[in-house]
Amino acid sequence: GGNCNQHPLEVFLLPPSLEDLYIGQNATISCLPVLQENGTYSATSILRVCVEEWQAGEEFTCTVKHPDIPSAIVKTIHKIH
């Protein structure tokens, strides 16, 4: 039998790596929507951000919209001091 209950789409926001911040001049934030189990979707969006903005605690938002999900999923991330 299949999965009858509607499995929620999970969205993860990944902060820039320390290498990004201290070696590269650019920081990237990754936004990952994952479903699978195999009703599949897995999508990644990469946002290049200014290192200074990230270090200053600026907030960044990822909004995921799709016809199959009832309302947009919004996640935010910022540097935790």
Side-chain angles (χ1 to χ4, degrees):
N3 216 353
C4 288
N5 59 339
Q6 193 57 33
H7 189 74
L9 175 64
E10 292 179 279
V11 176
F12 302 99
L13 269 183
L14 306 182
S17 69
L18 291 177
E19 285 165 73
D20 267 0
L21 293 172
Y22 297 112
I23 297 166
Q25 290 310 304
N26 281 299
T28 58
I29 294 168
S30 304
C31 182
L32 314 172
V34 184
L35 179 67
Q36 287 143 30
E37 279 304 330
N38 223 3
T40 126
Y41 24 82
S42 187
T44 305
S45 178
I46 305 290
L47 175 67
R48 293 173 74 92
V49 301
C50 177
V51 172
E52 290 75 20
E53 288 178 344
W54 176 259
Q55 299 288 26
E58 195 78 35
E59 193 169 80
F60 298 92
T61 303
C62 176
T63 303
V64 179
K65 295 178 184 173
H66 190 276
D68 290 351
I69 56 178
S71 58
I73 298 168
V74 179
K75 295 274 178 156
T76 59
I77 194 172
H78 60 87
K79 181 180 178 181
I80 295 163
H81 295 289

